[in-house]
Every structure is written in structure tokens, then in C-alpha cells.
């Protein structure tokens, strides 16, 4: 799948560039594409520099949690659920606890913690994979749920809106929460259908239903807060949870006589080994994305959508936010730049800007996630992972559009 997809990026970019050259008489497109190749190669290295430190830091703390027995305890608690969702993963396997920690970090918007833990979980799942190059069912489910980007506290989106002068930076909180929930549900159901998972099993229903009740109760509580209180809670809860988790790991490990410093160093060394293998995958994916963007292929798609929607007689306000949606599966930094550009051009509290922020918070950089997570374990055949993840992205975008029309009309 990745082979065809990667080649398809370059072919689409070439077709768009030829069209710009032949129709618009713009030969500079080829210079832009070549410049983008080198720019993306440079960006890959810059991203890796950040990843080295982040991955080493969090895998160091994670090693402390493992040696303290916390990961095994999580695995035992969630064993009955994962026995149905990931039947090839034995009950009590360390991967289950790592997956749980990864989901918890994602839900709280702690991306810096989620990625290294997720990489460790993927490597743990790879130990159960009979193939060294083909993704297993468990790895696919894990990746798709990661790519669906379920986040309860999108603090970074609030920060960008505040930087652009929004009177209420948290205005998009509930729209993002609803849209990202739709994305995650769509991704899960898609994988469940392909893999024929036992979603109607009483244990699965109990966990899913219980989670839904907790989520609903949390949303009901948040709805009672003022705008100022909601913003303060979002920032406080994210940072407090992060530091409390680290402190919890250290205290439990100390009580259980775990040498915390030596354990941290051991985990950090593992993080260095994980990080150094990611660069080729990042270079390959980011360069293909850069060429596609520089060729104007995404602009062609956007202009075509606008004309089609106008012809159908529908409201076209949401089209101005679609650049963020079209780019987000490929590049988080590009989508972030487009979101900010939309805020500046249309106003931070305009409908396109609100929708762009909602999309940014409710979908994930799917191809980046695929490149990093599968690249860390050498997976080349992704099977249905990319298709299910993109379906989750589409569900998130459609839900974001519907929710924003509902909230901001």
C-alpha cells in the first residue's frame, strides 16, 4: 500500500506541474518542487532532532514504570477487553499496558508523551507479529485508533486561537470533542468490520458504554463552567496530569526499590535506538508530501470542490477551511500553517477559521503516523491500515463541518 501511495504522490505532483506549465505557462513550478524536496529533507532532520530528545525522555520514564510493575498491572486490568479486540495478544502482555498509556496521553492532548509510548507499544506488538514486514491485525487497530486522534483537551488549538486574538480561545472545545469522537468511532468500526471483531461482546459493550458514560459526564460538567474557567481547567489539567504521571511512576518505583536513575538511563538508551531508525521513513514521506503541495495538486482539488459545491447550490463557506482538511493527513505543520492563515485572512472567529481549528483538532497526520509507527518496526505492507485511518479522517472532517454549522451556523 505504501509503495503505491508514495509513487502516487509523485505522479499526481508531476501531472499537476505539467498542467500548470502547459495551461498557466508557469515553469517556476518545477523549481518550487525541487526546492520543496530539499526543504522537506531538511525538515525531516529538524523533526528528528526534536524526536530524539522527546523519545529518550519518555521512554526513560516508561522504563521506570515497567520495572515498577505498573505496565503489567494495566495489562491485567484490561486483559478481558483486549482479548476480544486483539485476540492474538496474550492476556497480561506488556503491550496492553503500553497501549493504554498511549491512549491516555492522546486523550489528554499530551502528544509529546503519546508518541514515544506509542512507539514502545508498537515494538512490543511486533514481538508477537509472525511477519517482519507485514502489519498484524493488532498493530493496525492500534495505529488506526492513534490516527483518529481522540483528544479531550486540545490545549494547542486554544493557544493558536489566543495568539491570533480570539476573545474566547476555547470556543471550539465542544465541536472538537464531538468531531474527534466521530473520527475515532468511525476508525474503530471500520477496523472491526474488516477484522470481524466481537464488538457486540458484553465485555466490549461494557467498556465502551462505561467510557461513553464517563465522557458524557465529563462533558456535562464542562458545560457548567464559564469560558474563563474552561480555558484555565484545560491548561491546568493537561500539565498537572503530565507531571503527576511522572511523579507517580517515580514514587511507586522508589517504594518497590527500583533504581530509578539507572532505569531511566536504560530506557533513554532504548529511545535513542528507536529514534535513529525513523529518519529514512520521515524523509521519504515528507519529501513526497512536499512535492505534492508545491506542484499545486491540492489547489486544483480545492478549486474543483468549490466549483462543484457552487453548482449544487450549497453554502460554500466551509470550502475556505478545506485546505487544512486536505493537508492534515500529510503534514501537521502544513495544516497548522494553513489554519493560522485562515484565521488571519478571514478573522479568528469567522466560520472558516472556527471550522479550520475544529478540523485541526479532530483529525491526525495519518501518513506521518504511518511512517513513524510502522517505520519504527520495519513494517512495509500496511494492509487495510491506511484505508481505515483515512476513513476516520473523513468522518472527522464531515463531523467537524456538521458540528460547526450546528454551533456557529
Amino acid at each position: 500500500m505504501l509503495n503505491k501511495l508514495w509513487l502516487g504522490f509523485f505522479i499526481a505532483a508531476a501531472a499537476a506541474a505539467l498542467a500548470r506549465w502547459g495551461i498557466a505557462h508557469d515553469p517556476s513550478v518545477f523549481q518550487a518542487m525541487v526546492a520543496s524536496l530539499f526543504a522537506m529533507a531538511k525538515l525531516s532532520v529538524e523533526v528528528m532532532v526534536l524526536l530524539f530528545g522527546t523519545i529518550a525522555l519518555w521512554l526513560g520514564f516508561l522504563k521506570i514504570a515497567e520495572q515498577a510493575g505498573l505496565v503489567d498491572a494495566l495489562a491485567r486490568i484490561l486483559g478481558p477487553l483486549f482479548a476480544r479486540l486483539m485476540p492474538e495478544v496474550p492476556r497480561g502482555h506488556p503491550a496492553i499496558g503500553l497501549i493504554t498509556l498511549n491512549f491516555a496521553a492522546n486523550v489528554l492532548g499530551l502528544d509529546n508523551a503519546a508518541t514515544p509510548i506509542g512507539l514502545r507499544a508498537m515494538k512490543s506488538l511486533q514481538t508477537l507479529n509472525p511477519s517482519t514486514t507485514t502489519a498484524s491485525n493488532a498493530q493496525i487497530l492500534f495505529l488506526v485508533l492513534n490516527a483518529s486522534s481522540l483528544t479531550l483537551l486540545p490545549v494547542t488549538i486554544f493557544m493558536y486561537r489566543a495568539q491570533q486574538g480570539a476573545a474566547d480561545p476555547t470556543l471550539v472545545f465542544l465541536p472538537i470533542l464531538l468531531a474527534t469522537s466521530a473520527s475515532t468511532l468511525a476508525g474503530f468500526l471500520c477496523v472491526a468490520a474488516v477484522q470481524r471483531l466481537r464488538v457486540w461482546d458484553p465485555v466490549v459493550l461494557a467498556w465502551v458504554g462505561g467510557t461513553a458514560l464517563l465522557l458524557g459526564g465529563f462533558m456535562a460538567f464542562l458545560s457548567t463552567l464559564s469560558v474563563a474557567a474552561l480555558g484555565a481547567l484545560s491548561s491546568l489539567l493537561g500539565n498537572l496530569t503530565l507531571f503527576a504521571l511522572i511523579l507517580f511512576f517515580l514514587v511507586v518505583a522508589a517504594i518497590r526499590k527500583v533504581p530509578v536513575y539507572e532505569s531511566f538511563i536504560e530506557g533513554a538508551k532504548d529511545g535513542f535506538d528507536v529514534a535513529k531508525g525513523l529518519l529514512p521513513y520521515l524523509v521519504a514521506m515528507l519529501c513526497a508530501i512536499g512535492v505534492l503541495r508545491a506542484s499545486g495538486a491540492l489547489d486544483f482539488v480545492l478549486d474543483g470542490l468549490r466549483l462543484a459545491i457552487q453548482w449544487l447550490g450549497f453554502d460554500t463557506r466551509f470550502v475556505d477551511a478545506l485546505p487544512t482538511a486536505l493537508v492534515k493527513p500529510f503534514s501537521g505543520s502544513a495544516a497548522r500553517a494553513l489554519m493560522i492563515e485562515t484565521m488571519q485572512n478571514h478573522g479568528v472567529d469567522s466560520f472558516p477559521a472556527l471550522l479550520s481549528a475544529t478540523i485541526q483538532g479532530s483529525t491526525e497526520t495519518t501518513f506521518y503516523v504511518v511512517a513513524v509507527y510502522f517505520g519504527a518496526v520495519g513494517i512495509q505492507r500496511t494492509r487495510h491500515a491506511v484505508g481505515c485511518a483515512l476513513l476516520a479522517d473523513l468522518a472527522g472532517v464531515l463531523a467537524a463541518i456538521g458540528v460547526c454549522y450546528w454551533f456557529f451556523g
Side-chain angles (χ1 to χ4, degrees):
M1 178 65 182
L2 280 181
N3 287 320
K4 295 178 181 178
L5 187 66
W6 194 71
L7 177 61
F9 285 167
F10 282 96
I11 292 176
L18 289 172
R20 284 180 60 180
W21 181 32
I23 298 174
H25 305 291
D26 181 13
S28 65
V29 62
F30 298 106
Q31 178 183 355
M33 291 167 66
V34 173
S36 180
L37 277 174
F38 291 102
M40 289 298 105
K42 180 183 177 182
L43 177 62
S44 300
V45 177
E46 292 172 352
V47 170
M48 279 308 307
V49 171
L50 294 174
L51 281 178
F52 266 113
T54 301
I55 291 174
L57 173 69
W58 285 106
L59 288 189
F61 285 121
L62 187 60
K63 177 62 70 172
I64 294 173
E66 285 183 308
Q67 295 189 355
L70 295 174
V71 174
D72 289 338
L74 271 175
R76 288 193 297 271
I77 293 171
L78 294 171
L81 174 64
F82 281 98
R84 289 152 176 84
L85 297 183
M86 297 179 177
E88 64 268 42
V89 179
R91 292 197 180 197
H93 193 274
I96 296 175
L98 294 169
I99 290 170
T100 305
L101 288 175
N102 170 262
F103 288 164
N106 272 322
V107 163
L108 294 171
L110 307 176
D111 297 337
N112 289 336
T115 299
I117 296 173
L119 292 174
R120 185 71 176 81
M122 187 64 77
K123 289 179 72 71
S124 184
L125 289 174
Q126 182 66 6
T127 63
L128 302 171
N129 189 356
S131 172
T132 58
T133 58
T134 301
S136 67
N137 283 348
Q139 288 174 318
I140 290 172
L141 177 60
F142 176 56
L143 181 132
V144 170
L145 291 179
N146 261 273
S148 68
S149 183
L150 179 62
T151 304
L152 292 182
L153 296 171
V155 177
T156 55
I157 305 298
F158 301 158
M159 179 188 69
Y160 293 131
R161 283 181 43 78
Q163 288 175 343
Q164 295 302 313
D168 178 7
T170 64
L171 189 62
V172 293
F173 175 78
L174 288 179
I176 288 176
L177 182 59
L178 294 173
T180 192
S181 298
S183 173
T184 300
L185 181 60
F188 171 71
L189 292 178
C190 182
V191 175
V194 174
Q195 298 182 3
R196 299 181 179 179
L197 298 178
R198 298 159 54 188
V199 294
W200 300 114
D201 186 278
V203 173
V204 177
L205 290 177
W207 274 97
V208 173
T211 302
L213 288 175
L214 287 175
L215 180 60
F218 183 57
M219 290 177 62
F221 165 70
L222 292 175
S223 66
T224 65
L225 300 179
S226 66
V227 171
L230 188 58
L233 176 65
S234 294
S235 178
L236 174 65
L237 190 57
N239 291 297
L240 181 61
T241 302
L242 181 59
F243 188 75
L245 186 65
I246 293 172
L247 190 62
F248 178 68
F249 288 170
L250 292 173
V251 170
V252 173
I255 292 174
R256 297 184 178 181
K257 310 299 183 185
V258 174
V260 291
Y261 179 75
E262 289 83 353
S263 298
F264 180 88
I265 296 300
E266 182 183 351
K269 288 180 179 179
D270 292 340
F272 184 85
D273 292 336
V274 169
K276 69 183 181 181
L278 298 179
L279 183 58
Y281 296 91
L282 281 177
V283 171
M285 191 60 70
L286 289 179
C287 284
I289 292 166
V291 169
L292 186 70
R293 188 169 66 245
S295 69
L298 291 176
D299 292 331
F300 287 149
V301 173
L302 189 63
D303 291 340
L305 284 172
R306 191 188 304 276
L307 289 173
I309 292 167
Q310 286 178 343
W311 181 76
L312 292 172
F314 293 123
D315 187 346
T316 61
R317 285 182 300 160
F318 73 92
V319 177
D320 292 316
L322 287 185
T324 302
L326 293 175
V327 171
K328 187 63 187 285
F330 307 109
S331 171
S333 60
R336 182 166 54 250
L338 288 169
M339 176 189 68
I340 294 173
E341 183 182 49
T342 303
M343 292 177 181
Q344 293 175 341
N345 290 339
H346 297 275
V348 68
D349 287 324
S350 65
F351 183 84
L354 292 168
L355 175 56
S356 182
T358 303
I359 292 172
Q360 176 75 3
S362 61
T363 62
E364 189 51 273
T365 50
T366 296
F367 294 111
Y368 173 85
V369 172
V370 170
V372 170
Y373 277 59
F374 281 161
V377 292
I379 293 296
Q380 299 173 9
R381 295 188 60 222
T382 62
R383 300 170 61 209
H384 50 280
V386 174
C388 291
L390 288 177
L391 180 63
D393 287 342
L394 177 60
V397 171
L398 294 177
I401 294 173
V403 167
C404 282
Y405 272 111
W406 177 26
F407 274 73
F408 313 122

